[in-house]
Amino acid sequence: MRRTVIAGNWKMNKTMMEAELFSDSINEYDLSNTKSDQIIFAPSYMLQSLNILLKSSRIEVGCQNMHQYESGAYTGEISADMIKSIGITSILIGHSERRQYFNESDKVVNEKLLLALEKNLTPYLCIGETLEERTAGIMRSTLKNQLVKACKNVKINMANKIIIAYEPIWAIGTGCVSNAEDANIACRNIREIVAEIFDLDIARNMIILYGGSVNPSNIDEILAQSEIDGVLVGGASLDVTSYISLLK
Ligand code: PEP
């Protein structure tokens, strides 16, 4: 049985005071009845504090990015060991904004994924096609290319730790949510590709999230899809009322 995961991605948003207000509101709610696994990928500077603030909630705190090397002269970067040393165990890898604005190549995504697995972090691997790729009918081959490259040298006994976030680039932050059936087809494609790379068992058990303009009014339809196990939510995870609606 695959778990349902509701993940938020705060990107480069929220001062510490805003995060504190968010946490105060969360802590006032009884979310013990919610069944999903819950995580917020927060900016690095606040990870430790947010972890403490949300300690009594069911919400895990994850990191949005890490460097592919263990340590060294990489000014401004954060390492896997640093993240682990403050009790963070989940990491977003290959978000399309990292690929687009920070030139993160498939090779770098692969290096980060391998390091995350080696360090026993749970990687949330983001993949997705552009609108041009979708209209050109190459969605599946684009996803396959990203997956094969990202998973190069990943040992099969490590593969079950990976969570995949399918995020069509044209749907991220645009308000253009994918049609739920189309998102389901893409996630089924991903599961088939995972079976080709690893095996059927890994594919059947892999948690696959959909991300791209998810909000409280479309989440139910998306979660009702057979191949979609959860969501990765950017904009709608910033407002506490909207985030609580997503969890509920
Ligand atoms: C994201 O940041 O991964 C994302 C899906 O953003 P949004 O929900 O705002 O489209």
Side-chain angles (χ1 to χ4, degrees), residues 9 11 95 97 167 171-173 211-214 232-235:
N9 175 15
K11 313 191 188 199
H95 191 280
E97 287 154 15
E167 300 208 299
I172 298 179
S213 298
V214 175
L232 177 55
V233 189

Side-chain angles (χ1 to χ4, degrees), residues 34 59 80 90 103 105 108 123 127 138 159 165 185 187 189 195 204 243:
T34 54
I59 303 171
S90 293
N103 300 321
S105 63
V108 167
I127 57 170
I138 56 167
I185 292 169
C187 291
N189 275 288
R204 280 200 191 113
Y243 184 68

Side-chain angles (χ1 to χ4, degrees), residues 94-164:
H95 191 280
S96 65
E97 287 154 15
R98 299 282 328 158
R99 296 181 192 250
Q100 188 181 349
Y101 305 130
F102 303 95
N103 300 321
E104 244 177 51
S105 63
D106 289 317
K107 180 173 175 288
V108 167
V109 170
N110 172 243
E111 288 169 344
K112 290 185 177 190
L113 183 65
L114 289 170
L115 185 62
L117 290 170
E118 184 194 319
K119 297 287 179 183
N120 207 23
L121 290 163
T122 300
Y124 285 63
L125 172 66
C126 302
I127 57 170
E129 81 285 358
T130 61
L131 191 55
E132 291 71 32
E133 287 161 339
R134 173 163 279 262
T135 22
I138 56 167
M139 178 264 290
R140 185 187 166 102
S141 58
T142 302
L143 298 177
K144 181 166 183 174
N145 185 41
Q146 288 175 0
L147 269 173
V148 167
K149 288 182 174 160
C151 294
K152 192 177 167 200
N153 296 328
V154 171
K155 297 208 172 65
I156 193 156
N157 63 344
M158 294 284 214
N160 62 358
K161 281 217 72 178
I162 302 171
I163 292 176
I164 293 179

Side-chain angles (χ1 to χ4, degrees), residues 5 28 31 62-63 105 122 149 190 232:
V5 179
E28 279 168 20
L31 294 169
C63 186
S105 63
T122 300
K149 288 182 174 160
I190 291 170
L232 177 55

